[in-house]
Amino acid sequence: MAPWSGLWGGKAGGDAYRGTPVVVKMENPNWSISEISSPEDDDEDILAAAGRRKGGRTKNAKQIRWVLLLKAHRAAGCLASLASAAVALGGAARRRVAAGRTDAEAGVVAATGESPVVRSRFYAFIKAFLVVSLLLLAVEVAAYFNGWNLAASALALPVIGLESLYASWLRFRATYVAPGIQFLTDACVVLFLIQSADRLIQCLGCFYIHIKRIKPKPKSLALPDVEDPDAGYYPMVLVQIPMCNEKEVYQQSIAAVCNLDWPKSNFLVQVLDDSDDPLTQTLIREEVAKWQQQGARIVYRHRVLRDGYKAGNLKSAMSCSYVKDYEFVAIFDADFQPHPDFLKRTVPHFKDNNELGLVQARWSFVNKDENLLTRLQYINLCFHFEVEQQVNGVFLNFFGFNGTAGVWRIKALEDSGGWMERTTVEDMDIAVRAHLHGWKFIFLNDVECQCELPESYEAYRKQQHRWHSGPMQLFRLCLPDIIKCKIAFWKKANLIFLFFLLRKLILPFYSFTLFCIILPMTMFVPEAELPDWVVCYIPALMSLLNILPSPKSFPFIIPYLLFENTMSVTKFNAMISGLFQLGSAYEWVVTKKSGRSSEGDLISLAPKELKHLKTGSAPNLDAVAKEQLASKKDAKKKHNRIYKKELALSMLLLTAAARSLLSKQGIHFYFLLFQGISFLLVGLDLIGEQVE
């Protein structure tokens, strides 16, 4: 590379700046600098060598200059990226507002499963609270600029005019309003501390499991010879795939199940199709026929009447006459893709263990890095499986069945009353009833089954509403049975106080009440205090504990904390609907799938010529994954929407942040500010999948 001249290299000729020529390799994101020696540098090299012999160290000014320039270039690039992201975010928000599509549309309300009564009253309460907050903020701003900062000792002094009205408000606030808010604050803080202690104990239990390397092991190992079923432990297994209008994922799930490494004569696949779309029914039926031609033992079942949703589908399948020939049943939802050795790693745990009713595997996710929403879900579910399920499985032999990726002993299902359609959480229902009948559960943290996470906020919101309304329905129905059953007292206490009340009712209640209602109220009623450690330190510690099972997600710890508080609105609404059986609390909504393959997007982008290169007795998963692109073209048009409750709460929190700024409450201000922005982003549907 020729030496620089002019502005950067100095004047040409004898007075030119003499330095080491430099090659700058601009390979994003790293740059490297290489020196090129030249004849005219010989004398400099001699001087440099002499300096090194004397213990000195030479520096090249041009190298330092280039390093600084490149670092400045990198910083400028980062700033440009942030500015571009901010502009894109603003443009998306503007388009969302201009489109005017909200969650108040009739079709959206029906699809979410929310109670219209609860929805309208809840939203009216938030709006009223927002209006009152704006009025109080206006009063406080006027008092601030007029110098009406009356101390408590001055409240009894006579004042005149508007200042007297403000003084009367302060006396009324301190005498009548503050005590009630302080009582509610203290109650929520106590609940918050109890729930935090429960989470800390669970984390300590998980730490103990890792230190002691506790791992469920089969009581007797099965021989690995698959060719001769009589040589090992290969009992009869029924595999069920319940689905409903899920044409994005049916091919890959059927292919994965048919490729399970198990003697073909010892397992049967039931495809339980509840689809009401004739095209989807035809596609699934043809896929089953294709696998039947390949030699797989697979049957197709379709119900005309979709009574009981998934529970009714499973109940209908278990009534088949041939089910009596099978000892175990494995259940996989339509988007789940078990590894070929799934049955070989789960079924052996049942051998010589007649008290075992369920073996549950953990989930892994093919799209956890798709967007910010899927990353935050991944943190939550990693904690659920790594800590909650594993700890409860090791120490209690009981946990909530996840509804999929599990193997049941059919006798345990029958002994517990079978599948019931009374709630939208049929998986938790059957698990509680089996526990009451004395059956034990095992959770295998090292056996994974691939699935996908909801990529849009609308789909995730529907899923969370069902997951948090169903347990409250079940609690109402199961409470008498829990009290009357003959299990140990501590098991009853665990079910009632920990499993249901603390983790299913108290958690969404205090999360919403404490951080979305009480905290803003304490800004306008400063006589009621909420300590800094409740607002900042303990939530940060709990978020840190939640993120430990997925350490690579540590950069998302702050967004995770804010997003969990944001989701408390949906969870609280669902909990109230389920607890009091309001509206459509029993509505089942199928979570929308995107149909991502287990190999990721690289497979889906493979050339068509490579589609059927692999040969064998059965279609391969790679070919199945690539064929999903055709079905996506027929998908219904999706839209991003505005969520009114979240927007109203964002305005409320930002109003409280402005009031907090007047009082110079630093931690409270920053928390309210960022939490308000979080609600704003979610309310404008900017956190998940963006539909152009």
Side-chain angles (χ1 to χ4, degrees):
M1 180 176 178
W4 287 88
S5 60
L7 178 63
W8 298 103
K11 297 181 180 179
D15 296 335
Y17 177 85
R18 295 184 62 198
T20 303
V22 175
V23 174
V24 181
K25 299 179 181 179
M26 301 184 67
E27 299 175 355
N28 194 34
N30 299 315
W31 292 282
S32 61
I33 299 178
S34 304
E35 296 185 9
I36 300 179
S37 60
S38 59
E40 63 236 20
D41 294 335
D42 291 344
D43 51 350
E44 289 186 357
D45 293 341
I46 294 173
L47 293 175
R52 284 193 294 269
R53 283 194 299 268
K54 296 179 181 179
R57 185 176 181 183
T58 61
K59 295 182 180 179
N60 189 299
K62 180 167 284 190
Q63 284 184 344
I64 297 175
R65 184 190 305 172
W66 271 108
V67 169
L68 294 177
L69 286 174
L70 292 176
K71 288 187 176 182
H73 182 272
R74 177 184 292 180
C78 292
L79 292 176
S81 299
L82 291 175
S84 176
V87 171
L89 195 64
R94 180 183 57 80
R95 290 192 299 271
R96 199 83 74 248
V97 174
R101 298 186 181 92
T102 69
D103 60 336
E105 298 175 10
V108 180
V109 174
T112 56
E114 291 182 286
S115 166
V117 176
V118 175
R119 179 188 182 85
S120 60
R121 292 179 180 177
F122 193 41
Y123 181 52
F125 168 75
I126 295 175
K127 287 196 299 183
F129 195 15
L130 174 60
V131 171
V132 172
S133 300
L134 289 173
L135 292 176
L136 291 178
L137 178 62
V139 171
E140 295 296 336
V141 170
Y144 180 82
F145 284 104
N146 285 279
W148 300 344
N149 299 322
L150 302 177
S153 59
L155 292 179
L157 299 178
V159 288
I160 58 173
L162 294 176
E163 191 172 2
S164 66
L165 293 177
Y166 182 67
S168 300
W169 157 244
L170 292 184
R171 287 192 293 269
F172 176 81
R173 186 179 73 184
T175 305
Y176 300 104
V177 180
I181 296 178
Q182 188 64 57
F183 174 79
L184 188 59
T185 300
D186 295 340
C188 285
V189 168
V190 171
L191 296 177
F192 176 48
L193 292 177
I194 293 174
Q195 195 275 333
S196 300
D198 173 62
R199 181 151 300 188
L200 179 60
I201 292 172
Q202 286 186 318
C203 290
L204 292 176
C206 182
F207 181 71
Y208 178 81
I209 291 173
H210 281 278
I211 291 296
K212 296 296 184 178
R213 298 183 179 180
I214 300 175
K215 178 181 175 183
K217 296 180 180 179
K219 290 188 175 181
S220 57
L221 297 177
L223 298 177
D225 186 8
V226 181
E227 299 298 331
D228 185 7
D230 297 332
Y233 180 67
Y234 299 104
M236 301 293 287
V237 178
L238 182 67
V239 182
Q240 297 177 333
I241 313 176
M243 57 180 65
C244 179
N245 297 325
E246 295 171 286
K247 63 181 179 180
E248 297 86 1
V249 293
Y250 73 93
Q251 283 182 308
Q252 58 201 46
S253 61
I254 292 176
V257 168
C258 289
N259 279 318
L260 287 172
D261 189 6
W262 201 257
K264 290 186 177 181
S265 60
N266 287 29
F267 85 104
L268 173 70
V269 179
Q270 284 183 319
V271 178
L272 311 177
D273 182 25
D274 260 6
S275 303
D276 54 11
D277 176 26
L279 175 60
T280 303
Q281 296 175 24
T282 302
L283 292 173
I284 297 175
R285 189 180 291 109
E286 291 177 351
E287 184 71 14
V288 171
K290 182 175 69 175
W291 280 96
Q292 287 174 340
Q293 294 174 1
Q294 297 293 335
R297 297 186 68 233
I298 182 172
V299 295
Y300 174 85
R301 284 180 54 85
H302 175 72
R303 296 192 307 160
V304 178
L305 298 177
R306 193 187 167 205
D307 294 334
Y309 305 110
K310 182 181 176 181
N313 198 1
L314 294 172
K315 181 179 180 180
S316 174
M318 294 299 292
S319 65
C320 295
S321 59
Y322 53 79
V323 172
K324 67 179 183 298
D325 299 327
Y326 294 85
E327 188 176 357
F328 305 103
V329 56
I331 302 172
F332 301 100
D333 282 350
D335 60 316
F336 278 72
Q337 305 163 48
H339 294 288
D341 62 347
F342 181 88
L343 293 179
K344 295 177 68 175
R345 300 180 66 184
T346 54
V347 175
H349 288 270
F350 290 98
K351 188 177 182 182
D352 300 330
N353 192 354
N354 295 328
E355 295 182 341
L356 182 60
L358 167 67
V359 175
Q360 172 73 60
R362 72 174 294 164
W363 302 353
S364 60
F365 310 99
V366 298
N367 62 338
K368 64 179 183 296
D369 297 322
E370 183 64 25
N371 53 44
L372 178 60
L373 178 61
T374 58
R375 289 186 175 97
L376 299 178
Q377 292 178 68
Y378 176 69
I379 296 172
N380 244 345
L381 290 172
C382 275
F383 181 85
H384 169 68
F385 288 110
E386 186 80 20
V387 179
E388 294 177 341
Q389 297 291 76
Q390 186 172 211
V391 169
N392 290 329
V394 169
F395 295 105
L396 302 177
N397 293 122
F398 166 73
F399 47 81
F401 175 45
N402 292 119
T404 179
V407 182
W408 276 94
R409 188 188 297 271
I410 294 180
K411 183 180 178 182
L413 291 177
E414 295 172 347
D415 185 40
S416 306
W419 298 103
M420 293 185 178
E421 308 98 322
R422 56 182 183 173
T423 71
T424 58
V425 284
E426 75 295 324
D427 44 10
M428 185 182 295
D429 187 0
I430 189 65
V432 170
R433 285 185 281 117
H435 180 57
L436 295 180
H437 282 80
W439 291 98
K440 295 182 179 180
F441 303 164
I442 284 180
F443 176 75
L444 301 179
N445 193 50
D446 58 341
V447 179
E448 297 183 352
C449 189
Q450 292 183 327
C451 64
E452 65 177 58
L453 295 163
E455 296 181 5
S456 68
Y457 178 67
E458 182 180 4
Y460 180 64
R461 192 164 173 257
K462 295 174 184 177
Q463 181 194 71
Q464 292 301 304
H465 187 276
R466 174 165 56 86
W467 284 5
H468 287 82
S469 65
M472 290 298 97
Q473 304 168 21
L474 182 61
F475 179 63
R476 290 172 55 96
L477 297 171
C478 283
L479 183 58
D481 296 332
I482 296 174
I483 295 174
K484 292 185 296 184
C485 74
K486 297 180 180 180
I487 62 174
F489 175 78
W490 68 268
K491 291 184 178 181
K492 294 183 181 181
N494 172 69
L495 271 176
I496 296 175
F497 296 107
L498 293 182
F499 187 77
F500 279 113
L501 289 181
L502 182 60
R503 298 167 188 165
K504 302 298 187 295
L505 189 148
I506 290 177
L507 177 58
F509 171 78
Y510 90 75
S511 296
F512 172 74
T513 307
L514 186 61
F515 296 109
C516 300
I517 301 297
I518 293 179
L519 179 58
M521 290 175 68
T522 58
M523 297 300 100
F524 298 100
V525 186
E527 292 83 0
E529 296 183 358
L530 189 61
D532 293 348
W533 53 269
V534 175
V535 177
C536 179
Y537 304 128
I538 291 187
L541 176 60
M542 293 300 104
S543 298
L544 180 62
L545 293 178
N546 274 30
I547 217 165
L548 286 180
S550 53
K552 292 184 179 179
S553 302
F554 185 78
F556 301 98
I557 184 171
I558 300 301
Y560 171 75
L561 171 62
L562 298 174
F563 181 68
E564 280 300 290
N565 290 335
T566 304
M567 284 305 300
S568 65
V569 183
T570 298
K571 296 175 182 179
F572 179 82
N573 191 14
M575 182 266 293
I576 295 297
S577 298
L579 186 63
F580 298 103
Q581 301 183 17
L582 299 175
S584 53
Y586 292 92
E587 182 75 18
W588 176 283
V589 181
V590 178
T591 304
K592 183 67 177 175
K593 314 296 192 308
S594 62
R596 298 194 181 277
S597 70
S598 60
E599 299 297 329
D601 292 337
L602 293 177
I603 292 180
S604 64
L605 297 175
K608 293 183 179 180
E609 293 78 12
L610 301 177
K611 195 170 186 178
H612 298 293
L613 282 182
K614 291 188 178 182
T615 59
S617 60
N620 60 81
L621 291 177
D622 296 354
V624 168
K626 291 179 288 184
E627 291 173 357
Q628 304 304 310
L629 291 176
S631 63
K632 291 183 181 179
K633 296 180 180 179
D634 300 327
K636 295 181 180 180
K637 183 66 176 177
K638 296 185 295 184
H639 302 285
N640 292 110
R641 305 185 184 277
I642 295 175
Y643 296 94
K644 298 167 66 176
K645 290 196 299 290
E646 285 80 355
L647 275 184
L649 279 168
S650 74
M651 297 298 104
L652 171 63
L653 292 171
L654 293 175
T655 302
R659 173 62 183 87
S660 173
L661 195 60
L662 295 178
S663 304
K664 299 180 180 179
Q665 299 184 26
I667 292 179
H668 294 73
F669 166 73
Y670 289 114
F671 182 88
L672 289 166
L673 175 64
F674 289 114
Q675 191 64 69
I677 293 174
S678 175
F679 269 101
L680 181 64
L681 295 176
V682 172
L684 293 174
D685 199 3
L686 298 173
I687 191 173
E689 180 185 20
Q690 300 300 303
V691 181
E692 296 295 334

